[in-house]
Amino acid sequence: MSNQQSGAVARYQLLPAVRDFISKPKRMLIGADWVAAASGETIDVLDPASEELLTTVPSGGEADIERAVRAAHAAFDSPAWRDLYPTVREKMILKLADLIEAHAEELAQLEALDNGKSVMMAQIIDVGAAVSFMRYMAGWTTKIEGSTIEVSPPMPGVKTFAFTRKEPIGVVGAIIPWNFPLLMAIWKVTPALVAGCTVVLKPAEQTPLSALRFAELVLEAGFPPGVLNVVTGYGHTAGAALARHPGINKVAFTGSTSVGKRIGHAAMDNLTRVSLELGGKSPMIVMADATLDMAIQGLAGGIFFNHGQVCTAGSRLYAHRKIFDKVVEGVAGAATQMKLGPGLDPTTQMGPLVSAEQRDRVCGYIESGLKAGARAIAGGGAASGKGYFVKPTVLVDTREDMAVVCEEIFGPVLVAAPFDDLDEAVRLANGTRYGLAASIWSNDLSTVHRLIPRLQAGTVWVNAHNVVDAALPFGGFKESGIGREMAYGNIEMYTETKSVLMFI
Ligand code: NAP
Ligand code: MG
């Protein structure tokens, strides 16, 4: 395997730490131990830009999940974690954020290798946003509060004292996708640690590397063994075993709507608490008065950021008929100029998709749209040569019943259609089963404010798209999920409320 490994790794300008990490045999973290899968099986980790083997990781299954859940329970019950003051947990989380920041370039290279995204973007977004999120969340550790409540029992004269306590929910099973591997891990693990929970994390099979490096840094930051356990493996084996495990107190999932529904069913069998951040098909609505140069740039970013592999990607463009041609030509121009290449090439503007499966899925959608009568004014399929590259694509002449318009593609594909008035814009925007996000591009405050309440979306951006902030609740309406991450509500997802009533 070492010969096969050397190809991609030797070609890129990698930090020595990244080379070392890739060349070490990969083990998963259960309790204090770095272990192989009980079955001994492994999963190949590929470089999506060259299709070459980078390394392998353990293919964890039911027995490994069982062991990890036990380790997480032992850590949850141990005074070394349970009895820590909030100030100590806060300090540990801040130390972990510092460690991640200190290793930002290394983690970004790892992410670029594993996922295909641009190393520069990975450093700013994946690592940068993760560090900001951790620092924001760390502050809540010392601000978790219950309340005292005056009660009226049916026994006149009895003196009472009643209060609520917020307690950690227990062991969290976190299942995450491959589009922002480190950031998704940190979005799940941090609020759980803030609340005093312990975690079993299952990263996506396509992108397990940054989660394993993150686990090393968690131990380095001083968290007791068992507080974070990472089981690498497939969704249908490790993921399913985690979601249905009766020892899991909460499942936190980000991924597709179809898998989210399955996880929800499995969790419900044990009445395990569950939060689901799922897919989307988010509209971008451009009013006739929008500042078009700014809007065109923003719209191109709205769909092509992270190669369209973003749950909030602005994958449907609705522009007022008066400006429709100018807007779509502008976005198509931006698409055509984008330079495709490996994420580790600093001149790359768009890397490969994450896997051959994802490339084929995205190209299948494009073909189905073209067959149904849509027209590509940019892109239109895979790029030739090695790597899972798909050309940034803009489709016009679409109809509402086409799969490319109503289903999530999760790739660099924009569908565009004109509208004539606000009612039509609202009807089109709300016309899918999803409700994750939407953006409005306009300078007319009155129109913007009339539109906001009518959009079925968990987040509405105005003259922006894809901007997520740790202080602003994030999640979906309709089939885009259940629950809201970010802000204080994110901590409540990892706590139970205990009511205490005393006769004194
Ligand atoms: P996915 O197929 O749903 O996978 C997500 C995770 O679930 C992976 O770790 C996967 O494991 C695991 N999984 C698959 N089948 C499972 C099962 N039966 N039981 C338990 N776990 C299972 O999604 P994806 O293709 O990786 O990611 C893309 C999707 O995520 C898109 O639909 C996107 O919109 C959504 N997403 C949503 C958000 C949000 O915040 N709303 C953010 C990012 C992505 P394996 O990959 O190892 O099979
Ligand atoms: Mg998958």
Side-chain angles (χ1 to χ4, degrees):
M1 197 179 77
S2 56
N3 284 343
Q4 280 172 296
Q5 262 187 352
S6 59
V9 174
R11 200 164 40 250
Y12 302 126
Q13 300 271 318
L14 294 172
L15 293 171
V18 176
R19 277 179 206 286
D20 286 355
F21 182 77
I22 296 283
S23 60
K24 269 190 319 198
K26 294 285 154 306
R27 300 276 182 263
M28 33 189 205
L29 179 62
I30 298 184
D33 303 324
W34 291 94
V35 297
S39 66
E41 285 168 17
T42 58
I43 299 175
D44 288 348
V45 181
L46 304 181
D47 165 25
S50 65
E51 308 181 25
E52 286 167 34
L53 184 72
L54 291 170
T55 181
T56 65
V57 294
S59 179
E62 185 140 24
D64 306 289
I65 290 290
E66 184 58 45
R67 212 176 140 194
V69 172
R70 253 186 279 131
H73 270 289
F76 185 71
D77 293 333
S78 137
W81 178 241
R82 193 188 56 209
D83 293 348
L84 290 182
Y85 278 162
T87 45
V88 179
R89 285 209 310 278
E90 179 187 35
K91 247 192 206 160
M92 282 179 173
I93 296 168
L94 289 171
K95 180 164 181 204
L96 180 57
D98 289 346
L99 279 171
I100 289 170
E101 191 169 57
H103 292 275
E105 195 181 347
E106 176 195 338
L107 288 161
Q109 288 195 356
L110 213 48
E111 216 67 316
L113 262 182
D114 202 4
N115 166 284
K117 65 178 66 195
S118 130
V119 71
M120 235 152 47
M121 282 305 238
Q123 195 155 347
I124 298 167
I125 305 293
D126 298 64
V127 184
V131 170
S132 309
F133 176 81
M134 293 187 89
R135 289 185 176 143
Y136 167 88
M137 282 296 162
W140 284 117
T141 314
T142 51
K143 294 160 196 75
I144 298 173
E145 297 178 342
S147 47
T148 60
I149 298 166
E150 297 298 319
V151 296
S152 311
M155 304 94 174
V158 172
K159 293 275 184 224
T160 62
F161 182 59
F163 60 98
T164 58
R165 289 171 46 77
K166 292 281 183 192
E167 299 183 355
I169 207 163
V171 175
V172 173
I175 302 175
I176 56 169
W178 42 257
N179 57 343
F180 295 93
L182 178 71
L183 184 61
M184 292 294 132
I186 286 174
W187 277 14
K188 300 289 182 257
V189 172
T190 312
L193 299 178
V194 167
C197 298
T198 59
V199 182
V200 178
L201 171 71
K202 196 214 75 76
E205 79 204 35
Q206 299 88 345
T207 54
L209 298 183
S210 56
L212 294 176
R213 183 69 186 105
F214 172 64
E216 290 179 354
L217 296 175
V218 165
L219 292 182
E220 195 177 329
F223 289 90
V227 168
L228 175 68
N229 307 274
V230 179
V231 177
T232 51
Y234 292 109
H236 63 275
T237 52
L242 187 56
R244 67 167 179 259
H245 198 294
I248 292 292
N249 303 102
K250 186 216 158 70
V251 180
F253 174 75
T254 293
S256 60
T257 290
S258 57
V259 172
K261 286 182 184 178
R262 268 199 248 168
I263 288 190
H265 282 295
M268 206 44 66
D269 279 343
N270 300 314
L271 285 176
T272 304
R273 279 75 179 126
V274 63
S275 53
L276 305 169
E277 295 291 348
L278 308 177
K281 188 76 178 174
S282 299
M284 307 191 285
I285 302 167
V286 192
M287 304 308 298
D289 72 284
T291 308
L292 291 191
D293 292 348
M294 183 192 88
I296 285 166
Q297 255 188 358
L299 298 163
I303 177 61
F304 298 127
F305 166 59
N306 210 45
H307 328 159
Q309 303 169 133
V310 181
C311 51
T312 53
S315 48
R316 292 180 296 143
L317 168 65
Y318 298 116
H320 193 281
R321 194 175 298 279
K322 272 196 225 158
I323 49 149
F324 179 77
D325 287 344
K326 184 156 185 215
V327 171
V328 290
E329 276 158 25
V331 177
T336 312
Q337 281 163 25
M338 258 174 208
K339 181 168 181 272
L340 303 189
L344 282 147
D345 175 343
T347 65
T348 288
Q349 288 171 308
M350 189 183 284
L353 301 196
V354 73
S355 63
E357 184 194 4
Q358 186 64 8
R359 175 199 55 200
D360 296 345
R361 215 174 74 90
V362 171
C363 290
Y365 270 113
I366 297 174
E367 265 168 47
S368 88
L370 296 175
K371 261 196 206 131
R375 189 162 51 90
I377 57 167
S384 54
K386 277 269 175 210
Y388 313 127
F389 293 94
V390 174
K391 294 184 211 158
T393 296
V394 178
L395 298 177
V396 294
D397 299 344
T398 55
R399 286 187 321 273
E400 284 169 72
D401 62 340
M402 289 181 184
V404 281
V405 176
C406 38
E407 291 175 24
E408 180 179 50
I409 298 176
F410 220 60
V413 183
L414 178 70
V415 295
F419 65 83
D420 288 301
D421 59 34
L422 215 54
D423 285 343
E424 191 185 11
V426 169
R427 189 183 60 74
L428 290 169
N430 290 339
T432 73
R433 64 194 176 114
Y434 296 109
L436 191 57
S439 59
I440 306 167
W441 301 78
S442 170
N443 295 306
D444 179 345
L445 268 184
S446 165
T447 304
V448 166
H449 275 291
R450 276 181 290 131
L451 208 41
I452 291 168
R454 298 181 67 188
L455 294 176
Q456 296 165 345
T459 296
V460 176
W461 290 291
V462 178
N463 297 323
H465 201 99
N466 284 337
V467 186
V468 175
D469 192 282
L472 200 61
F474 176 79
F477 282 23
K478 293 156 76 179
E479 293 196 26
S480 287
I482 296 179
R484 292 290 180 276
E485 294 188 306
M486 311 292 130
Y488 181 65
N490 208 164
I491 310 303
E492 293 200 307
M493 286 162 67
Y494 295 92
T495 62
E496 288 277 19
T497 301
K498 181 176 283 171
S499 294
V500 183
L501 172 52
M502 301 166 63
F503 282 11
I504 54 175

